[in-house]
Amino acid sequence: MPYVDRQNRICGFLDIEENESSGKFLRRYFILDTQQGSLVWFMDNPQNLPIGADCMGSLKLTYISKVSDATKLRPKAEFCFVINAGMRKFFLQANDQQDLVDWVNALNKATKITVPKLSDGQQNAENQKALPDVVGPKKQVSYKTEIIGGVPIVTQTQHEGGDGVDRAEREAMHRSHSQLPYFLGRPTQEHTVIKSGYCVKQGAVMRNWKRRYFLLEENSMSYFKSDLEKEPLRMIPLKEVHKVQECKQSDIMMRDNLFEVVTTSRTFYIQADSPEEMHSWIKAVSGAIVAQRGPGRSAATISETSNVKKGNDMRLAY
């Protein structure tokens, strides 16, 4: 039976098929560590191994989509369950039926935990790491902004090493970069930001879950590695979105507060930090789509008439 050790980790022995489809199960000691976000297995209990002994394998919890009974998949393997992790399935054998149930429940519970937000201290540390590329201690430079032809033009008024930028001005620049990195990265931004914030998104290839910074504008929804990045990892044009709704597969995917953005080429699975935040995103994206397409023009309607409008849109563009 799995037990909880002094470090609040779930531990115990299981048999694992380390080589996929080999049918050979090996006895290993498993440690489920939700603080580190990993499932690790060793040849034996680490307390019985030499200090610093390497693990036999490990798996990040963010890669796990579902854990379930695998008796029907492996009828010859008694008390077998499977961990679905991206492109790989890990088959394991418990000691008895109760052991199987306990491990499946523990793993599913661990993988349902929302990816944690950065604490204030961690966020400040991340900000400090990113800031030297923009505002470093050696770059004591002043700028001026002019509006030319309706476009903000930023020009340097003093070169590096000058004394024109005093401490107060440098601190103001530091604060502005910390609080508004996106807008400083885009001084000519013309689109209205409707909603922004962190969510957890499933990857397209590995199916792992990563925390990303989302930005909803009038015509698109983009996501970034963090709010300090200038270029998005991807931009989703709202004209390609067919619908946005609460995910019907949330139970299957073992994720709370999950919604989906369905586009022409792909369905994006996004997890918010709370039910309220999830509904807020769905409402915001749906509202932006309606505003873009006009009253009464839903995603379904625009999809049905897209072929008719294509020629007209191209002529209007020119």
Side-chain angles (χ1 to χ4, degrees):
M1 296 292 178
Y3 70 95
V4 179
D5 68 2
R6 294 181 180 179
Q7 299 179 53
N8 203 32
R9 304 176 303 180
I10 298 176
C11 308
F13 281 97
L14 293 167
D15 295 341
I16 182 173
E17 184 185 51
E18 289 185 325
N19 295 322
E20 193 171 7
S21 302
S22 66
K24 184 180 180 180
F25 287 78
L26 301 172
R27 193 72 166 169
R28 298 289 183 250
Y29 185 84
F30 283 77
I31 298 176
L32 173 58
D33 192 337
T34 55
Q35 295 297 320
Q36 296 296 324
S38 64
L39 176 67
V40 186
W41 55 97
F42 295 83
M43 183 73 73
D44 192 2
N45 188 326
Q47 295 178 357
N48 302 328
L49 298 174
I51 297 176
D54 292 332
C55 64
M56 300 300 295
S58 64
L59 182 61
K60 289 185 178 180
L61 298 184
T62 53
Y63 281 78
I64 298 176
S65 58
K66 185 182 179 183
V67 184
S68 59
D69 190 313
T71 304
K72 293 182 179 179
L73 296 175
R74 293 294 178 88
K76 294 183 179 181
E78 197 174 19
F79 311 123
C80 185
F81 65 95
V82 60
I83 297 176
N84 294 280
M87 305 298 288
R88 170 79 192 270
K89 294 179 183 293
F90 292 86
F91 288 91
L92 301 98
Q93 277 186 286
N95 299 306
D96 53 42
Q97 185 61 33
Q98 188 57 52
D99 193 34
L100 182 152
V101 172
D102 289 346
W103 273 108
V104 169
N105 290 339
L107 286 164
N108 277 328
K109 182 179 179 181
T111 56
K112 282 182 66 176
I113 297 174
T114 301
V115 177
K117 298 178 180 179
L118 291 176
S119 65
D120 292 339
Q122 289 175 315
Q123 186 65 61
N124 290 335
E126 290 294 323
N127 290 347
Q128 292 298 328
K129 290 179 182 177
L131 282 170
D133 293 335
V134 183
V135 186
K138 295 182 180 180
K139 296 183 179 180
Q140 299 182 2
V141 184
S142 61
Y143 297 87
K144 67 177 181 179
T145 303
E146 299 174 299
I147 306 299
I148 301 177
V151 179
I153 303 296
V154 180
T155 55
Q156 183 174 318
T157 59
Q158 184 170 356
H159 292 284
E160 200 172 314
D163 298 326
V165 181
D166 59 18
R167 176 184 293 269
E169 185 174 356
R170 288 199 301 274
E171 290 178 351
M173 290 174 66
H174 184 282
R175 287 194 299 271
S176 65
H177 278 79
S178 298
Q179 297 168 4
L180 297 171
Y182 175 80
F183 299 103
L184 287 174
R186 295 169 178 76
T188 59
Q189 182 69 34
E190 297 177 356
H191 300 292
T192 302
V193 175
I194 300 172
K195 184 175 177 61
S196 63
Y198 280 92
C199 291
V200 180
K201 185 190 74 67
Q202 186 187 55
V205 180
M206 297 302 295
R207 304 295 180 186
N208 57 323
W209 298 83
K210 292 186 177 180
R211 197 165 186 83
R212 297 296 184 223
Y213 182 75
F214 282 79
L215 190 76
L216 175 63
E217 298 173 298
E218 293 175 338
N219 300 311
S220 66
M221 183 179 186
S222 307
Y223 56 88
F224 304 74
K225 189 174 182 180
S226 76
D227 59 355
L228 297 173
E229 297 295 323
K230 297 180 181 179
E231 297 298 327
L233 296 172
R234 181 159 184 165
M235 182 186 73
I236 308 169
L238 294 184
K239 65 181 181 181
E240 295 182 5
V241 177
H242 294 303
K243 59 184 175 181
V244 54
Q245 62 185 12
E246 186 171 355
C247 183
K248 298 177 181 179
Q249 302 184 58
S250 58
D251 291 337
I252 298 175
M253 302 179 76
M254 304 304 297
R255 292 277 161 175
D256 296 326
N257 316 319
L258 193 67
F259 66 98
E260 57 186 13
V261 177
V262 182
T263 70
T264 306
S265 58
R266 175 184 165 188
T267 298
F268 294 85
Y269 295 103
I270 304 169
Q271 182 185 18
D273 291 326
S274 66
E276 294 77 16
E277 190 66 10
M278 176 192 69
H279 290 299
S280 176
W281 273 108
I282 292 174
K283 183 178 179 180
V285 177
S286 299
I289 292 173
V290 171
Q292 183 192 58
R293 298 169 183 173
R297 304 304 301 277
S298 65
T301 304
I302 202 71
S303 177
E304 293 171 0
T305 60
S306 59
N307 291 332
V308 177
K309 284 179 57 62
K310 187 179 293 184
N312 295 334
D313 291 340
M314 291 178 66
R315 287 195 293 273
L316 288 172
Y318 289 95

